[in-house]
Amino acid sequence: MRKIFFLGILIPILSFGQTKNKIEGIVIDTPCELEYTRNLGNQNNYSCVIQKSDNKIFQYSITVQNLFEEMKGFTGSSLQVFKDEFLQSARSNSIANGENAEYIKLNNQRKALKTESYLTYSGNKFKNTSIILLYKQKSYIFNLTTNELNSSELNKLIDRIVIN
């Protein structure tokens, strides 16, 4: 009986713990461990899903694409032009798809793009927040998708990403 009591106390505490996931040079703090899911060409994918007792779902995912070939030979101002055009193109695509898109600063230094969109799946509405950035010849897309449309977790995604 004592074991069941302690287990009943520990499970809720452990379910809200945070995991520092180091994904290809960037750390993201999530309530679950991101697992490598698949590789498509030069693109790696990581994800985890949490379903709370009230049927609220939170899916964290990261897509990392190697841009070594595209960025080869760029230095200084040409590298900055590539980065600016990459984010501008991502912003234009997001807006064309009806998404909200705005430039942000990660860790008060690195320029990134934040997009927000809504999805409907099997009659359920979901909100997706994405953070897009370039770092060390790779593009990163951090996503949080949830059916809790007004969740404060969506706004915290920016604070979860730590660039070393």
Side-chain angles (χ1 to χ4, degrees):
M1 184 69 173
R2 191 179 287 172
K3 289 179 186 177
I4 294 172
F5 175 74
F6 287 121
L7 190 58
I9 291 173
L10 285 177
I11 288 177
I13 292 170
L14 294 175
S15 67
F16 295 109
Q18 297 295 304
T19 302
K20 291 194 181 296
N21 297 278
K22 186 168 185 175
I23 304 295
E24 300 192 35
I26 293 182
V27 175
I28 181 165
D29 189 17
T30 60
C32 52
E33 184 176 346
L34 292 167
E35 296 182 16
Y36 180 80
T37 54
R38 67 185 183 281
N39 177 319
L40 298 171
N42 63 346
Q43 181 173 300
N44 295 324
N45 297 284
Y46 306 85
S47 67
C48 66
V49 176
I50 295 174
Q51 183 169 359
K52 295 185 176 182
S53 59
D54 58 358
N55 288 326
K56 297 299 182 189
I57 298 169
F58 293 85
Q59 178 182 9
Y60 292 84
S61 65
I62 300 174
T63 301
V64 183
Q65 183 175 4
N66 189 338
L67 297 176
F68 177 77
E69 287 298 319
E70 290 85 345
M71 296 173 76
K72 188 168 37 175
F74 290 147
T75 58
S77 63
S78 63
L79 180 60
Q80 190 59 49
V81 167
F82 177 85
K83 289 178 178 181
D84 290 342
E85 287 181 2
F86 181 90
L87 290 177
Q88 185 176 1
S89 176
R91 183 177 182 273
S92 296
N93 288 338
S94 295
I95 291 170
N97 289 328
E99 301 172 2
N100 293 326
E102 65 177 313
Y103 293 113
I104 60 168
K105 292 277 187 181
L106 283 176
N107 307 125
N108 293 322
Q109 60 185 3
R110 187 162 307 275
K111 184 177 178 181
L113 181 68
K114 176 183 174 186
T115 66
E116 293 179 331
S117 60
Y118 291 90
L119 316 159
T120 302
Y121 179 75
S122 296
N124 296 310
K125 194 167 186 176
F126 290 84
K127 185 174 182 180
N128 183 69
T129 298
S130 297
I131 308 294
I132 303 163
L133 73 120
L134 292 173
Y135 180 68
K136 291 189 176 180
Q137 297 185 318
K138 294 180 181 180
S139 72
Y140 294 81
I141 303 174
F142 299 88
N143 296 296
L144 173 53
T145 306
T146 182
N147 60 347
E148 188 174 343
L149 304 180
N150 296 316
S151 172
S152 63
E153 288 298 310
L154 292 161
N155 296 325
K156 292 178 185 176
L157 183 61
I158 296 168
D159 299 328
R160 293 181 177 280
I161 302 167
V162 179
I163 302 169
N164 297 329

